Amino acid sequence: MESEVRGPADVRWKWALLSLCALSFVATLAAAIDVFGLAARPWFGWWDANVAIAQPFTVVITQPRPLGASARSGLQAGDQIDLREQSLEARIAAVYQLMADRPTNLAVRRGPSSIPIRIVGSSIWEDAALWKLPPMGSWVLANLWFVLCAALIALRRWHNRDARTLAFVLLFTTGVVFEPTFVVVPSGAVAIVLLLGARSCATAASLLLVRLAAGFGERAGWRTALASVANLFILAGFLADLMLIAGLATLRVDPLPYLFRISPLKGALDVAVYSLVTATALAAVLAIPATRRPRAAWLLLPLPIAFLATVVFTTLATFIHSWFANVTVIGIAEAIRLLGALIVTYALLNRRVLDFEFVLSRTLVVATVSLIVVAAFVLLDWVLGNLLSNVSHATGLVANGALALALGLSLNAMQRRVHGFLDAVLFRKRHEDERALLEFSREAASATELGPLLDRAIEHLEHHTAARGAAIFVEQDVSYAAVRSFGNSVRALVAENDATILALKTWHKPLDPHRYITDVHGALALPMLERGRLNGVILLGERVGGEAYAPDEIEALSRFALGVGSAIAGLGGERDGSLASIHASLAAMSDAIAALRETLIVDRQADGA
């Protein structure tokens, strides 16, 4: 990862991501209300039939389900809907979804005749609800999960470029919810605008995935060419989306060949796009040294593979005419998307983008505070209902209001106390380790010998960190030598112009060497500084559990590195600078004594003469 330098620009990234998370959450919630309804009938309606391309501008109804919306309206298998004979709202409904709370007027061709049809889509709760709920519920849950993952990144890793890119991919992915496949609105013009926004978000997510993969591993010509081809296909897919939108809005071009879930041509193009995106991610993983591939694979591969599998299954649905089989295949596609969200969550929590302990602690804090609040109201209700059963309704309302006010005023203090208690109970060992590291950072200044200092430093790293291995590098001439280590093997020497060394010299901050092409192989590099000079590096390997190092751990380790670095510089100065100064002083004194002797001899000779 890139260096952990934080400034005003980084904070702006944090608030930008959190704002987009809030917007994505509201959009997903609105889409869920559109599908499931809220105290009213939902807008999202089902055809209960499939459509296929019959000829340019024309779709044909195939296998309407008995007792479904299409069959109830009088539609039959083989009926054709010419988009050129429909209103804008009816055109969008014909190739996407119907309204469930109002009729859609269609001009339907049945043989040589044209028949007017008024059709109202069935809601998700009507007619085979058990078949409709899984695909719709899966994409809602996946979207909410993606928003949660992006929010965690915004809170914990907003300053990291790769994490930010991943967060934007997740948020742009949730933007696909605006498609008429998921959201139905009464206005055709609004539906066109939402469709344009949804396809723009999908394109941006794909481009960012390619860019994210390009930042990993050694850069080679064939990888650059692969990324360029992937970007060209992504832009070609977006051009097809624009043709679809233009065709639906103006009818100057046939929109059907560019329509996902109906056109095999568009499905094949999407499969090619996500195959290339997956190939760029796989190429990035293979370009990384074998010791660092698992981490990169968890970061780069889950989303492209999930998206590829989703479009493959959705494309297969275009060849299936049975309504039940079609809905089942689409349900599998959306379930794969949800699985991708779960895998991303695992990668975030357990593969170094976020630390699991932070998420666990915050979850427990929120759950405990919520439990206290609920228990307080339950206890008050019991007291009013049993011990004070004669109180009036107004008194009960006043008591509940007073309790709510008291809890509201004490909520922050309660949260701090609960957090402190849970932190002390659950993470006691980690805090003890941090305290031991901080204490040694002060004790190191009293060391009088370099060897014992280094021995004790590496012992503290072994016993008070969860690292699989660690090493202490000390500056020697034009390189940095590993003078102490444990666990995983490390290189004995690292050049002073190594990418990680240069970054440490520049930023003076802890950083993750994975982001650099470097000989420093580990999870966290900490600079040992003395008056702005990098005189050594402490390198920690992966944690035993695979989680990221928490911010408070990094802070304690940074102070530990500074204390050890200052002590090493002091001992080195005493060994090298002080002794040299003494020798120089003695030599100067000898020269002065010799000069004085010669002066005295000359004076005596002059007096004798």
Side-chain angles (χ1 to χ4, degrees):
M1 294 276 181
E2 65 182 358
S3 59
E4 301 291 326
V5 180
R6 307 183 188 185
D10 293 323
V11 176
R12 287 197 292 270
W13 278 119
K14 174 183 178 179
W15 293 112
L17 285 172
L18 288 175
S19 300
L20 286 177
C21 289
L23 181 61
S24 296
F25 176 77
V26 171
T28 301
L29 186 62
I33 294 174
D34 189 295
V35 172
F36 298 100
L38 181 65
R41 186 176 176 83
W43 282 358
F44 188 97
W46 296 70
W47 280 87
D48 297 325
N50 293 325
V51 296
I53 299 175
Q55 54 189 345
F57 294 96
T58 304
V59 295
V60 59
I61 302 295
T62 62
Q63 297 189 14
R65 188 171 58 80
L67 303 180
S70 295
R72 289 197 305 268
S73 70
L75 284 172
Q76 301 176 7
D79 286 349
Q80 295 186 358
I81 302 174
D82 191 331
L83 301 182
R84 292 166 293 190
E85 299 175 356
Q86 319 299 327
S87 65
L88 176 59
E89 289 75 14
R91 291 199 294 272
I92 295 173
V95 296
Y96 285 108
Q97 301 295 148
L98 295 163
M99 293 291 297
D101 72 331
R102 67 196 65 187
T104 299
N105 297 313
L106 298 172
V108 177
R109 291 184 180 180
R110 183 176 297 165
S113 305
S114 179
I115 304 173
I117 295 287
R118 287 171 60 88
I119 179 171
V120 177
S122 64
S123 75
I124 194 171
W125 308 110
E126 303 168 344
D127 303 325
L130 292 179
W131 293 83
K132 299 174 181 178
L133 283 170
M136 307 309 289
S138 294
W139 73 255
V140 171
L141 288 177
N143 266 27
L144 292 175
W145 217 278
F146 283 148
V147 172
L148 174 63
C149 292
L152 289 174
I153 293 175
L155 289 172
R156 302 295 285 174
R157 289 291 184 270
W158 76 88
H159 48 272
N160 185 281
R161 184 180 62 188
D162 292 335
R164 284 200 305 265
T165 303
L166 181 60
F168 278 117
V169 170
L170 296 172
L171 292 174
F172 280 126
T173 299
T174 64
V176 181
V177 73
F178 292 113
E179 281 195 31
T181 306
F182 304 108
V183 171
V184 177
V185 294
S187 169
V190 173
I192 289 293
V193 173
L194 293 179
L195 177 58
L196 177 60
R199 298 319 305 164
S200 299
C201 287
T203 301
S206 300
L207 292 172
L208 286 176
L209 282 173
V210 174
R211 180 181 177 182
L212 179 64
F216 285 78
E218 296 183 3
R219 292 170 175 79
W222 67 271
R223 284 190 60 196
T224 302
L226 179 62
S228 298
V229 172
N231 287 329
L232 286 175
F233 268 77
I234 293 171
L235 295 177
F238 184 61
L239 179 60
D241 295 331
L242 294 178
M243 297 292 285
L244 164 66
I245 294 169
L248 288 174
T250 67
L251 293 175
R252 294 183 179 179
V253 60
D254 182 11
L256 297 180
Y258 313 106
L259 188 63
F260 191 53
R261 289 193 178 182
I262 291 181
S263 168
L265 176 63
K266 184 59 168 65
L269 179 58
D270 284 348
V271 170
V273 166
Y274 285 107
S275 296
L276 288 168
V277 172
T278 304
T280 60
L282 182 60
V285 173
L286 295 177
I288 295 172
T291 56
R292 292 184 285 168
R293 283 178 188 170
R295 179 253 181 193
W298 280 105
L299 179 66
L300 298 177
L301 291 178
L303 283 178
I305 292 176
F307 294 161
L308 174 60
T310 299
V311 298
V312 166
F313 274 92
T314 309
T315 302
L316 289 177
T318 63
F319 300 97
I320 299 174
H321 297 300
S322 168
W323 184 86
F324 289 102
N326 189 286
V327 172
T328 300
V329 171
I330 292 175
I332 293 173
E334 296 301 331
I336 292 173
R337 189 167 177 266
L338 176 58
L339 178 62
L342 298 176
I343 293 175
V344 168
T345 304
Y346 173 78
L348 290 174
L349 296 180
N350 208 38
R351 291 291 167 178
R352 304 183 40 73
V353 178
L354 293 174
D355 52 285
F356 173 75
E357 292 175 349
F358 164 79
V359 177
L360 176 62
S361 66
R362 295 305 184 272
T363 302
L364 290 177
V365 167
V366 173
T368 304
V369 172
S370 301
L371 181 62
I372 292 173
V373 172
V374 172
F377 279 103
V378 170
L379 178 61
L380 177 64
D381 184 68
W382 180 81
V383 169
L384 294 176
N386 294 276
L387 301 183
L388 303 174
S389 56
N390 295 326
V391 298
S392 64
H393 180 67
T395 304
L397 290 178
V398 171
N400 278 279
L403 177 61
L405 179 61
L407 290 174
L409 294 175
S410 61
L411 196 59
N412 287 335
M414 187 191 312
Q415 185 173 351
R416 285 196 300 269
R417 290 181 178 275
V418 171
H419 179 267
F421 174 76
L422 292 176
D423 212 37
V425 172
L426 296 177
F427 310 118
R428 179 179 177 182
K429 175 64 167 60
R430 194 173 85 181
H431 292 312
E432 289 177 350
D433 290 337
E434 292 171 5
R435 189 160 48 249
L437 293 172
L438 293 174
E439 289 174 354
F440 183 76
S441 69
R442 298 179 180 178
E443 296 169 1
S446 302
T448 58
E449 296 182 25
L450 182 60
L453 170 66
L454 294 173
D455 291 337
R456 289 199 61 200
I458 199 68
E459 287 175 5
H460 273 70
L461 291 175
E462 184 172 6
H463 295 140
H464 298 294
T465 68
R468 297 179 185 272
I472 300 176
F473 290 83
V474 175
E475 184 181 19
Q476 292 185 359
D477 297 329
V478 294
S479 63
Y480 288 80
V483 293
R484 296 291 188 278
S485 66
F486 77 88
N488 299 336
S489 60
V490 296
R491 292 181 66 92
L493 293 175
V494 177
E496 65 177 355
N497 288 316
D498 182 89
T500 299
I501 299 297
L502 292 177
L504 289 170
K505 287 181 178 180
T506 302
W507 302 112
H508 295 176
K509 296 287 185 179
L511 56 84
D512 186 342
H514 287 108
R515 186 64 182 84
Y516 302 92
I517 301 174
T518 177
D519 290 330
V520 179
H521 300 315
L524 183 65
L526 302 142
M528 295 195 296
L529 303 168
E530 172 62 20
R531 297 180 181 178
R533 176 181 175 82
L534 184 71
N535 58 22
V537 176
I538 291 179
L539 178 67
L540 296 177
E542 304 283 347
R543 291 181 63 176
V544 174
E547 300 91 352
Y549 288 94
D552 54 345
E553 289 180 297
I554 296 175
E555 179 65 24
L557 287 165
S558 298
R559 294 173 62 180
F560 175 86
L562 289 175
V564 174
S566 298
I568 291 175
L571 292 174
E574 291 178 5
R575 184 181 64 249
D576 299 330
S578 298
L579 289 177
S581 177
I582 291 172
H583 287 305
S585 298
L586 290 174
M589 289 174 63
S590 297
D591 293 340
I593 291 171
L596 180 61
R597 183 180 300 170
E598 291 179 0
T599 302
L600 291 174
I601 293 173
V602 171
D603 289 343
R604 288 175 181 176
Q605 290 175 352
D607 292 340

